């Protein structure tokens, strides 16, 4: 069963993948923000590294409680991304990390995030994956990617949100919008990645009822062997984006609804 502690371990491992892009995007954000909001902050792994007087909100009260213990510094509040409990124009930086793919209407949440951002200040979407573009090698592991996508869809996730980030921001009314993809790198250190166990715990839970225990063991062993013999490639394109809130958002952009298929 997933617990706040397990999620915290998983978020800690995932934050390592995006550390460089977070540093790069934050360095571009000048002057250093005085008031920052992290939406869907989880257990606060990324939140506690953000600049200024930092607030984190998340819908899960248990994770907010854990965040106050394991990720000290920011102020944490249990709240919905669709109803952010702050006045308009009140933050110098609003950001999120692995959030939008979990929302039923990411565009509405983006509009709410922009509402609480001060004019002239930055919105940063640090990381949104696109499992549809996933590369798995050796090829017997390709099946795993498809199965995981199906399981994510069943949980209400949009596994192809990454490729939609640019479209979502195009109608947001933000200025200086930039979107990109995080790269990959594999070395000759033929060992299991630190997140191997936590990722498989998640996969086993995601794929229960889809794969038999024997099939799950088969794929886990295949992947373990591939990491250890230095053949494993696993690449999930993970998109990032940022933009600035203009002094005045044109009303068409404010109300614009892009239908993202
Ligand atoms: C994949 S986790 C990422 C957590 C954290 N940002 C991180 O990367 O460590 C997605 C988070 O979004 C939160 N979330 C989902 N829907 C939400 C909503 N409507 N409002 C606020 N948070 C939400 C979940 O509770 C979860 O903590």
């Amino acid at each position: 069963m997933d617990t706040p502690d397990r999620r915290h371990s998983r978020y800690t491992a995932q934050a390592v993948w995006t550390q460089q892009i977070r540093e790069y995007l934050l360095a571009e954000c000048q002057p250093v923000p005085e008031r920052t909001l992290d939406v869907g902050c989880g257990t606060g792994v990324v939140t506690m590294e953000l600049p200024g007087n930092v607030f984190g909100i998340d819908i899960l009260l248990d994770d907010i409680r854990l965040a106050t213990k394991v990720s000290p510094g920011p102020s944490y509040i249990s709240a919905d991304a669709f109803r952010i409990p702050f006045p308009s124009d009140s933050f110098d930086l609003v950001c999120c990390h692995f959030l939008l793919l979990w929302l039923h209407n990411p565009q509405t949440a983006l509009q709410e995030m922009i509402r609480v951002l001060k004019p002239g200040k930055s919105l940063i979407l640090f990381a949104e994956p696109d499992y549809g573009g996933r590369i798995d090698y050796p090829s017997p592991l390709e099946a795993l990617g498809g199965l995981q996508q199906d399981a994510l869809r069943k949980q209400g996730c949009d596994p192809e949100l990454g490729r939609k980030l640019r479209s979502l921001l195009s109608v947001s009314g933000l200025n200086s919008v930039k979107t990109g993809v995080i790269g990959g790198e594999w070395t000759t250190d033929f060992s299991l990645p630190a997140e191997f166990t936590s990722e498989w715990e998640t996969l086993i839970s995601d794929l229960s009822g889809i794969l038999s225990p024997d099939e799950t063991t088969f794929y886990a062993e295949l992947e373990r062997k591939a990491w250890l013999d230095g053949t494993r490639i696993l690449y999930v394109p993970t998109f990032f984006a940022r933009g600035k809130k203009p002094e005045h958002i044109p009303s068409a952009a404010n109300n614009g609804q892009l239908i993202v298929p």
Side-chain angles (χ1 to χ4, degrees):
M1 197 189 95
D2 214 6
T3 62
D5 285 317
R6 279 198 176 177
R7 286 194 286 275
H8 180 61
S9 309
R10 195 160 71 241
Y11 299 159
T12 303
Q14 291 172 347
V16 175
W17 308 338
T18 61
Q19 187 167 356
Q20 282 184 354
I21 195 68
R22 296 197 320 269
E23 286 169 5
Y24 163 71
L25 291 166
L26 285 174
E28 282 188 335
C29 201
Q30 296 296 335
V32 175
E34 288 177 15
R35 236 173 102 83
T36 298
L37 175 66
D38 184 16
V39 182
C41 65
T43 58
V45 177
V46 168
T47 327
M48 69 184 291
E49 293 180 359
L50 295 171
N53 183 13
V54 182
F55 295 79
I57 64 166
D58 199 284
I59 200 99
L60 284 184
L61 180 59
D62 285 348
D63 288 23
I64 285 294
R65 287 200 176 116
L66 185 62
T68 59
K69 293 185 193 136
V70 295
S71 308
S75 305
Y76 295 102
I77 301 164
S78 172
D80 191 345
F82 293 94
R83 297 181 58 158
I84 299 177
F86 287 101
S88 300
D89 305 343
S90 53
F91 287 95
D92 302 300
L93 168 64
V94 177
C95 58
C96 64
H97 184 254
F98 292 127
L99 169 73
L100 298 180
L101 77 162
W102 291 104
L103 302 182
H104 57 84
N105 190 341
Q107 194 170 11
T108 304
L110 275 177
Q111 281 165 7
E112 180 66 349
M113 290 163 76
I114 293 168
R115 178 187 67 77
V116 297
L117 190 61
K118 290 180 191 167
K121 302 297 181 181
S122 293
L123 172 79
I124 303 183
L125 313 173
F126 284 120
E128 295 295 339
D130 192 311
Y131 290 90
R134 171 173 165 152
I135 298 173
D136 278 288
Y137 189 82
S139 31
L141 287 165
E142 280 169 9
L144 212 49
L147 289 168
Q148 193 188 18
Q149 268 197 75
D150 293 345
L152 287 169
R153 273 204 188 88
K154 276 191 189 150
Q155 293 170 50
C157 169
D158 179 353
E160 293 182 341
L161 193 278
R163 70 189 64 184
K164 298 170 188 167
L165 218 49
R166 188 166 186 229
S167 305
L168 289 166
L169 284 192
S170 293
V171 293
S172 67
L174 295 181
N175 288 335
S176 313
V177 171
K178 178 164 79 177
T179 314
V181 187
I182 302 172
E185 189 176 88
W186 294 265
T187 69
T188 50
D189 170 18
F190 296 169
S191 60
L192 289 179
E195 67 277 13
F196 184 83
T197 304
S198 65
E199 285 297 302
W200 265 100
E201 278 172 4
T202 309
L203 259 183
I204 288 168
S205 144
D206 286 354
L207 299 179
S208 68
I210 297 176
L211 286 186
S212 69
D214 281 354
E215 287 169 323
T216 308
T217 307
F218 168 78
Y219 281 116
E221 282 312 307
L222 201 61
E223 192 185 26
R224 178 191 300 277
K225 188 174 168 303
W227 279 116
L228 296 178
D229 67 16
T231 55
R232 179 70 168 128
I233 293 290
L234 168 56
Y235 178 66
V236 178
T238 300
F239 286 72
F240 62 87
R242 64 110 164 99
K244 283 191 180 178
K245 181 171 176 176
E247 296 302 326
H248 300 288
I249 294 195
S251 56
N254 243 344
N255 301 324
Q257 289 290 313
L258 178 73
I259 307 304
V260 178

